């Protein structure tokens, strides 16, 4: 396999992990975020600093990066997610910008806007594939469990769900924390893949892309989010030669999809339900 | 001993409007009581107060000796009170079965680790949740519609689905908010049978809001009638039917012309 193909597969896995995280929050729990790049940044910088400066092994460093993202999500989530409505979306814009500015200005630790070079290239194809597989299995299991039903219930009707015994604030905060973990790990893996990270990589544009991919794939469909990520990642790669027009094409693709299929590629269905449908027994 | 359920001196204002005004009543365990009154009398507000959707301005609500005043909705569900909604609050896009399973899982919990790994008791518990839910769907006559999206069910079936969903929480007190709204006469009479059956089979205490006189009159041995947020009468269907205040509330006051 050529290095180029390998790179694309690695990028697909990384973006897929981040997309699953955002999909749980936006597609399944109904909370929009415009700052999820911040969690990626937290994961990426934590892992970079731990591996380069403190010589921690990359595996625990990646997990610690994810956990730091979880901790930040908890502190942002508790005050904002108790309220219904779009408070979290607004707070997440602030979080995204705040984290980016801290990374740019806390020079002694993060080396500022010029970026953080010299990260070990620990993100090899087997490593990233293993992370992707394990996290995907956990995520698909999660949405097919009591927690998945709880998220969907809170998304669809929070009054009814609290009367069905769900602590809706708790479900929403938990969903955000899991989502932050996925993005943190994705960020950490991205750092190891590029060997270099920069605050500008985790700006508002990245956050918007994360949410756009999930909407594009279909809100409430995990496989749709993965498909959406694959399409967007590949389109971006395909048009790399005319890179100055990349954002233009990316925008056009989003507009076309939203016009032709406003519910996203997959709607709220999972790929597996199409595969299974012809074989399903008639309900007795 | 404290009564099974007691509302005492409950008052709720919305701005300048007093929706519930010093309302008191009690329920004995196993009773089937009707709460009736004209539109806007405050019946649904009472349900919202009991289930913690709104906080009380004044008064107390106690259930099995515990004060519900400070509890949140999900804690009240935990104590054994379940309800249906006048304006139907089903999860429209989910199947009928998923709607009931979402409620049934409350009493059949498993850990987060089991959620993400599907190991341990996941399979067994999910099976229990599914079987319990199917049983309840069968009970309300919706077993053959289990896979249909809730929002596409006929109106009468959606009401039955809400009852099944509430029953999945294993409540001791069930609050039904206008279960017959929008139903034709035939559907109302089969609903009557259903409510009476679940009342006796599940050993439930039921408080049912209805302004269809015939429904409450037929199934409830005791009826509370309210108007403008306050109780105006309480008694057997016969007493209620002949109560001057009730007649006035429903039919208007006779004016003495010269």
């Amino acid at each position: 396999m050529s290095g180029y193909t390998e790179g694309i597969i690695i990028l697909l896995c990384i973006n897929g992990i981040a997309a699953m995280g955002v999909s749980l929050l936006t597609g399944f729990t109904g909370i929009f975020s415009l700052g999820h790049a911040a969690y990626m940044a937290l994961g990426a910088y934590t892992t970079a600093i731990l591996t380069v400066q403190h010589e921690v092994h990359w595996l625990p460093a990646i997990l610690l990066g994810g956990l730091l993202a979880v901790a930040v999500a908890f502190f942002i989530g508790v005050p904002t997610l108790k309220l219904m409505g779009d408070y979290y979306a607004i707070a997440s814009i602030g979080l995204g910008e705040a984290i980016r500015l801290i990374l740019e200005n806390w020079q002694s630790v993060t080396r500022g806007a010029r970026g953080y070079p010299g990260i070990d290239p620990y993100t090899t194809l087997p490593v990233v594939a293993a992370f992707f597989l394990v996290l995907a299995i956990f995520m698909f299991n999660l949405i097919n469990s009591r927690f998945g039903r709880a998220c969907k219930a809170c998304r669809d009707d929070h009054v009814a769900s609290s009367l069905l015994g769900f602590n809706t604030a708790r479900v929403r905060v938990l969903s955000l924390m899991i989502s932050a973990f996925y993005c943190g790990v994705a960020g950490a893996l991205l750092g190891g893949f590029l060997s270099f990270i920069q605050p500008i990589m985790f700006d508002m544009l990245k956050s918007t892309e994360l949410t756009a991919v999930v909407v594009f794939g279909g809100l409430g469909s995990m496989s749709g989010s993965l498909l959406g990520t694959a399409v967007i990642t590949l389109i971006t790669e395909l048009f790399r030669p005319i890179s100055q027009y990349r954002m233009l094409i990316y925008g056009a693709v989003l507009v076309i999809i939203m016009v032709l299929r406003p519910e996203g590629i997959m709607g709220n269905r999972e790929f597996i339900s199409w595969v299974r449908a012809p074989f399903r027994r008639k309900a007795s | 001993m404290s009564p099974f359920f007691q509302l005492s001196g409950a008052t709720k204002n919305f701005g300048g409007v007093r929706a519930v005004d010093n309302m008191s009543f009690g329920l004995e365990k196993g009773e089937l009581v009707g709460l009736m009154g004209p539109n806007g009398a405050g019946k649904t507000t009472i349900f919202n107060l009991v289930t913690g959707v709104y906080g009380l301005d004044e008064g107390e609500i106690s259930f099995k000796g515990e004060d519900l005043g400070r509890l949140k909705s999900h804690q009240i569900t935990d104590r054994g009170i379940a309800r249906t909604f006048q304006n139907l609050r089903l999860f429209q896009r989910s199947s009928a079965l998923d709607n009931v399973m979402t409620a049934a899982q409350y009493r059949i919990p498993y850990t987060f680790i089991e959620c993400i790994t599907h190991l341990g008791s996941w399979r067994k518990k999910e099976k229990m949740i599914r079987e319990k839910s199917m049983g309840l769907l069968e009970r309300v006559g919706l077993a053959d519609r289990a896979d249909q999206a809730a929002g596409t069910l006929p109106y009468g079936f959606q009401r039955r689905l809400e009852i099944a969903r509430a029953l999945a929480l294993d409540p001791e007190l069930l609050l039904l908010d206008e279960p017959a709204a929008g139903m034709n006469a035939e559907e109302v009479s089969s609903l009557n049978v259903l409510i009476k059956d679940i009342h006796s089979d599940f050993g439930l205490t039921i408080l049912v809001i209805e302004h269809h006189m015939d429904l409450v009159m037929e199934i409830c041995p005791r009826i509370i009638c309210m108007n403008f947020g306050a109780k105006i009468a309480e008694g057997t269907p016969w007493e209620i039917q002949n109560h001057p205040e009730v007649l006035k509330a429903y039919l208007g006051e006779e004016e003495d012309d010269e």
Side-chain angles (χ1 to χ4, degrees), chain A residues 49-281:
Chain A
I49 293 165
L50 284 176
T51 50
V52 175
Q53 261 159 316
H54 303 278
E55 285 165 2
V56 178
H57 187 262
W58 54 267
L59 184 61
I62 290 175
L63 297 177
L64 281 171
L67 289 178
L68 184 73
V70 170
V72 171
F74 177 78
F75 283 111
I76 300 289
V78 166
T80 52
L81 291 176
K82 271 190 176 170
L83 307 165
M84 296 309 301
D86 297 324
Y87 296 96
Y88 178 74
I90 303 295
S92 69
I93 300 177
L95 172 78
E97 287 303 291
I99 296 287
R100 192 175 59 80
L101 287 173
I102 290 172
L103 293 176
E104 273 180 15
N105 292 298
W106 195 5
Q107 301 239 357
S108 58
V109 176
T110 64
R111 303 186 189 171
R114 277 170 303 164
Y116 201 103
I119 306 166
D120 267 352
Y122 49 77
T123 308
T124 55
L125 187 58
V127 167
V128 82
F131 264 102
F132 178 78
L133 268 180
V134 170
L135 289 174
I137 289 170
F138 281 177
M139 185 55 82
F140 278 91
N141 280 345
L142 190 67
I143 58 171
N144 286 309
S145 72
R146 69 197 313 273
F147 186 77
R149 281 193 297 266
C151 289
K152 284 188 255 182
C154 295
R155 172 193 70 191
D156 291 343
D157 189 327
H158 73 277
V159 175
S161 356
S162 59
L163 289 163
L164 296 181
F166 296 115
N167 184 345
T168 50
R170 193 165 160 261
V171 171
R172 290 153 61 89
V173 172
L174 258 174
S175 169
L176 173 67
M177 286 162 68
I178 297 166
S179 154
F181 182 78
Y182 275 66
C183 286
V185 169
L189 291 169
L190 187 66
F193 172 54
L194 301 174
S195 288
F196 171 74
I197 47 176
Q198 222 182 349
I200 197 75
M201 290 159 63
F202 307 103
D203 61 354
M204 184 87 180
L205 201 66
K206 181 68 187 170
S207 295
T208 319
E209 186 190 309
L210 285 170
T211 298
V213 154
V214 169
V215 175
F216 175 74
L219 289 174
S221 168
M222 198 50 79
S223 37
S225 301
L226 289 177
L227 193 64
T229 313
V231 171
I232 291 292
T233 310
L234 292 178
I235 282 177
T236 326
E237 279 310 317
L238 210 61
F239 293 101
R240 195 177 279 286
I242 43 169
S243 59
Q244 64 269 46
Y245 300 116
R246 249 162 58 183
M247 289 319 288
L248 191 69
I249 291 161
Y250 169 76
V253 169
L254 279 185
V255 170
I256 290 166
I257 287 286
M258 286 300 121
V259 169
L260 296 179
R261 260 187 93 79
E263 71 273 35
I265 304 175
M266 301 287 289
N268 64 343
R269 294 167 60 191
E270 295 297 343
F271 189 64
I272 195 83
S273 72
W274 285 355
V275 180
R276 271 186 195 157
F279 305 107
R280 190 180 286 158
R281 286 176 296 122

Side-chain angles (χ1 to χ4, degrees), chain A residues 27 137-147 149-150 152-168 174 178 219-220 267-268 280-281 283-284, chain B residues 51 53 73-74 77 81-83 85 89-94 98-99 101-103 105-106 108-112 115-118 122 126 129 134 143-144 147 165-166 169:
Chain A
I137 289 170
F138 281 177
M139 185 55 82
F140 278 91
N141 280 345
L142 190 67
I143 58 171
N144 286 309
S145 72
R146 69 197 313 273
F147 186 77
R149 281 193 297 266
K152 284 188 255 182
C154 295
R155 172 193 70 191
D156 291 343
D157 189 327
H158 73 277
V159 175
S161 356
S162 59
L163 289 163
L164 296 181
F166 296 115
N167 184 345
T168 50
L174 258 174
I178 297 166
L219 289 174
N268 64 343
R280 190 180 286 158
R281 286 176 296 122
S284 50
Chain B
T51 52
V53 177
S73 293
H74 62 93
T77 304
I81 299 181
R83 70 174 284 187
F85 297 88
R89 282 179 171 273
L90 291 165
F91 306 121
Q92 304 266 331
R93 289 198 290 173
S94 305
D98 278 340
N99 265 277
M101 285 175 71
T102 304
Q105 70 182 33
Y106 188 70
I108 310 173
Y110 50 88
T111 64
F112 183 74
C115 282
I116 59 173
T117 58
H118 283 195
W122 176 80
E126 279 290 309
I129 293 170
M134 271 316 285
D144 52 337
D147 290 329
R165 194 176 68 172
L169 295 161

Side-chain angles (χ1 to χ4, degrees), chain B:
Chain B
M1 207 189 86
S2 57
F4 180 67
F5 174 86
Q6 181 70 46
L7 189 74
S8 18
T11 300
K12 178 72 188 174
N13 300 305
F14 294 112
V17 180
R18 180 153 284 201
V20 175
D21 186 9
N22 194 20
M23 183 78 181
S24 303
F25 65 87
L27 301 173
E28 295 297 324
K29 193 169 170 53
E31 260 193 314
L32 173 49
V33 177
L35 179 62
M36 56 178 263
N39 281 327
K43 307 180 295 287
T44 299
T45 308
I46 299 244
F47 274 21
N48 283 335
L49 290 172
V50 173
T51 52
V53 177
Y54 304 144
L56 277 170
D57 288 342
E58 277 167 56
E60 256 181 30
I61 303 169
S62 78
F63 179 62
K64 295 194 291 178
E66 187 182 7
D67 180 20
L68 299 185
R70 305 232 173 279
L71 298 184
K72 301 213 174 80
S73 293
H74 62 93
Q75 293 166 317
I76 289 167
T77 304
D78 181 66
R79 303 304 191 271
I81 299 181
R83 70 174 284 187
T84 65
F85 297 88
Q86 183 180 2
N87 303 322
L88 293 169
R89 282 179 171 273
L90 291 165
F91 306 121
Q92 304 266 331
R93 289 198 290 173
S94 305
S95 70
L97 180 63
D98 278 340
N99 265 277
V100 184
M101 285 175 71
T102 304
Q105 70 182 33
Y106 188 70
R107 304 284 180 203
I108 310 173
Y110 50 88
T111 64
F112 183 74
I113 298 293
E114 286 166 332
C115 282
I116 59 173
T117 58
H118 283 195
L119 298 171
S121 65
W122 176 80
R123 190 173 297 277
K124 197 180 84 194
K125 296 275 178 64
E126 279 290 309
K127 193 165 165 247
M128 281 164 71
I129 293 170
R130 183 174 292 270
E131 279 169 3
K132 180 179 178 180
S133 305
M134 271 316 285
L136 286 166
L137 282 178
E138 223 158 278
R139 194 62 229 258
V140 299
L142 284 173
D144 52 337
R145 303 262 190 164
D147 290 329
Q148 199 175 331
T152 65
L153 288 169
Y155 202 62
F157 285 177
Q158 294 195 23
R159 294 232 168 258
R160 284 167 171 264
L161 180 55
E162 273 221 331
I163 295 177
R165 194 176 68 172
L167 287 173
L169 295 161
D170 295 339
E172 287 178 67
L173 173 61
L174 180 62
L175 309 173
L176 300 175
D177 196 348
E178 300 212 18
M183 286 187 173
N184 62 32
E186 199 181 317
E187 287 171 320
V188 170
S189 68
S190 79
L191 180 76
N192 274 352
V193 176
L194 176 70
I195 294 176
K196 272 196 275 192
D197 283 355
I198 58 175
H199 175 241
S200 52
D201 295 357
F202 290 83
L204 284 171
T205 311
I206 298 182
L207 180 63
V208 50
I209 290 183
E210 199 47 75
H211 55 208
H212 274 260
M213 289 266 218
D214 10 338
L215 185 136
V216 239
M217 296 291 169
E218 197 186 314
I219 61 171
C220 304
R222 185 160 75 94
I223 293 169
I224 298 159
C225 186
M226 62 189 293
N227 198 13
F228 298 117
K231 184 160 78 179
I232 54 174
E234 183 173 355
T236 63
W238 193 87
E239 285 167 345
I240 291 288
Q241 259 169 323
N242 297 291
H243 198 289
E245 286 289 326
V246 178
L247 293 175
K248 204 169 87 185
Y250 271 85
L251 302 173
E253 206 161 358
E254 267 182 61
E255 280 184 37
D256 288 327
D257 288 328
E258 300 289 290

